[in-house]
Amino acid sequence: QETFEAIRSDAGDAEVTDFVSKPYSPEYVRTKAHIAMSRSQCRWRKAVLPSDEKIRLETLRDTGLLDSKSEERFDRLTRIASRAMDVPVAVVSLVDESRQWFKSCHGLCAVETPRDQAFCAHAILQDNVFLIQDATKDDRFADNPLVTGGLVRFYAGIPLAITGRDRQKHRIGTLCLIDTRPRD
């Protein structure tokens, strides 16, 4: 598809948050513009795409884990993580192009969330632990619906990386810990 125009999250911000691609209808452009303008009225921002996004997604799909049935080995991991760190929620999440999907989720009924709301989409951008002690005090997340809805106040996520076809490691998701209260 041919890229027509980048939509910026606000007039002073050089960060590209979305693209309008041809062919497109007036309704499609209107919807994309509305989303961009709504986001600019909030402080939270969706994560930028990793530089290896194309091969990262290919590597994720090659695992066969995305949209697969639950497995005790992953469920055991989230149960242990939740108990060991004394948090109500522990998740193994896999980040695809539009969502974070939960391979295992302890303490939460959801099976996925939109990628542009996902803390894990930020966590996969680095190699070490991504830590948010109080999301209400972090400009990147304070207005995020997961925060304003009371689901996330504390977040700690460690990226899960595997070797792809190119023999390079790619971060496909996270093991994350979530609490509804701030933590040190």
Side-chain angles (χ1 to χ4, degrees), residues 36-47:
M37 288 185 297
S38 296
R39 186 174 293 121
S40 70
Q41 295 169 3
C42 297
R43 294 186 304 180
W44 71 276
R45 299 285 183 258
K46 71 179 185 176

Side-chain angles (χ1 to χ4, degrees), residues 140-176:
R140 296 169 294 179
F141 303 105
D143 291 339
N144 182 305
L146 299 174
V147 177
T148 60
L151 297 174
V152 178
R153 186 86 179 261
F154 167 85
Y155 174 91
I158 184 79
L160 303 174
I162 63 168
T163 303
R165 295 179 197 171
D166 62 350
R167 299 179 192 245
Q168 300 294 313
K169 291 205 177 225
H170 301 283
R171 295 178 296 270
I172 62 168
T174 65
L175 170 61
C176 64

Side-chain angles (χ1 to χ4, degrees), residues 54-164:
K54 183 176 178 183
I55 189 75
R56 190 192 72 77
L57 290 170
E58 182 179 279
T59 302
L60 170 59
R61 285 189 190 89
D62 286 349
T63 67
L65 293 173
L66 198 59
D67 297 313
S68 62
K69 293 181 181 180
S70 65
E71 295 179 54
E72 177 56 27
R73 61 187 173 150
F74 291 101
D75 295 340
R76 186 176 329 111
L77 178 64
T78 55
R79 281 194 311 271
I80 291 169
S82 175
R83 283 188 210 131
M85 301 308 291
D86 191 29
V87 293
V89 178
V91 176
V92 171
S93 87
L94 303 172
V95 181
D96 74 8
E97 53 272 308
S98 62
R99 65 193 170 135
Q100 68 175 348
W101 179 78
F102 305 141
K103 175 62 180 165
S104 177
C105 190
H106 177 80
L108 189 65
C109 294
V111 295
E112 65 184 45
T113 64
R115 182 175 179 165
D116 65 350
Q117 295 177 10
F119 284 65
C120 298
H122 292 266
I124 65 169
L125 297 174
Q126 56 191 51
D127 291 322
N128 48 9
V129 174
F130 182 69
L131 180 65
I132 305 296
Q133 294 175 316
D134 186 347
T136 64
K137 295 181 180 174
D138 188 310
D139 283 347
R140 296 169 294 179
F141 303 105
D143 291 339
N144 182 305
L146 299 174
V147 177
T148 60
L151 297 174
V152 178
R153 186 86 179 261
F154 167 85
Y155 174 91
I158 184 79
L160 303 174
I162 63 168
T163 303

